[in-house]
Amino acid sequence: MTPTDDALIAAIRNGDERALAHLYRLHWPMVSHFVLQNSGTDDDAQDVYQEGVVVFYEKVRDGSLELSCQIKTYLYAVCRRLWLKRLTSKSRFGVRLLDDEEHGPYLNTGAEEDLLAAEEQDRRFDTMSEALNHLGEPCRSLLEGFYLLDKSMQDLTAEFGYTNADNAKNQKYKCLVRLKKLFFTHYKEESI
């Protein structure tokens, strides 16, 4: 990593929007060129680059980014993987990407593992959302109220008409057990 990379990461970690905008402009031409050279459009390049920057941003913000290369290299590897995945999904035949000699060293960065982890996390969130949708009422609203909206058990007791907070906690527990069962049933089905 360069000192500039260290400064960018520190600024992004501290919530500096200008640093993120600078990073976005800095490496955009490289990804745009790559996608355009490999059957993509400018819109495709923008989508892929946006996804790649989001993966990088989330890893920086949650403190899980461990770079062993430059940011440029990391973003190239993530965006390359995203574009390959899109091309493969559009075609039933294998796809071979045209990598410039200049970008060859950017392919073994560890970014693919980060991207796979981010994709797996997205899949789990989608599965959890689907399980919540299948849970039904009042369980869905009870769990959303407690876990997503940070409502107290006293507030939920009043809102749902339970006789006391202990009854509300008991119902929340039963709903959570049902949600876990739904989640793992759907998650296993998707894995197969």
Side-chain angles (χ1 to χ4, degrees), residues 58-180:
E58 288 176 350
K59 302 285 283 174
V60 168
R61 292 293 291 191
D62 72 15
S64 64
L65 182 70
E66 294 179 23
L67 277 184
S68 59
C69 59
Q70 293 181 343
I71 292 173
K72 176 180 183 179
T73 305
Y74 182 89
L75 283 174
Y76 181 83
V78 168
C79 293
R80 179 184 186 279
R81 169 99 168 124
L82 287 167
W83 184 238
L84 179 61
K85 186 176 176 185
R86 282 196 184 184
L87 283 177
T88 303
S89 70
K90 287 181 181 179
S91 168
R92 31 177 226 174
F93 304 107
V95 176
R96 185 174 180 277
L97 298 181
L98 301 173
D99 286 308
D100 291 345
E101 283 184 30
E102 158 188 7
H103 298 119
Y106 299 157
L107 302 181
N108 298 318
T109 63
E112 289 201 13
E113 289 83 17
D114 289 346
L115 182 60
L116 290 173
E119 289 172 350
E120 178 63 17
Q121 183 177 8
D122 286 346
R123 191 168 74 87
R124 287 180 181 163
F125 282 137
D126 290 344
T127 303
M128 181 58 74
S129 178
E130 190 175 322
L132 260 174
N133 288 334
H134 285 88
L135 188 60
E137 295 298 338
C139 279
R140 178 181 177 187
S141 295
L142 181 63
L143 293 176
E144 285 178 345
F146 186 78
Y147 290 107
L148 301 178
L149 303 175
D150 290 326
K151 292 183 180 179
S152 70
M153 288 312 295
Q154 288 76 21
D155 291 341
L156 293 170
T157 298
E159 185 177 328
F160 290 94
Y162 295 113
T163 54
N164 58 44
D166 287 336
N167 286 346
K169 282 182 191 176
N170 191 25
Q171 185 59 40
K172 179 184 66 88
Y173 174 77
K174 289 177 182 178
C175 291
L176 195 54
V177 168
R178 285 183 47 215
L179 178 63
K180 285 180 181 178

Side-chain angles (χ1 to χ4, degrees), residues 1-9 26-27 67 69-72:
M1 275 193 327
T2 67
T4 307
D5 284 353
D6 288 335
L8 268 174
I9 289 170
L26 190 62
H27 302 303
L67 277 184
C69 59
Q70 293 181 343
I71 292 173
K72 176 180 183 179

Side-chain angles (χ1 to χ4, degrees), residues 32-50:
S32 174
H33 175 76
F34 171 74
V35 171
L36 292 173
Q37 290 294 310
N38 287 285
S39 307
T41 65
D42 195 48
D43 286 342
D44 293 330
Q46 288 176 11
D47 288 347
V48 164
Y49 191 55
Q50 180 72 32

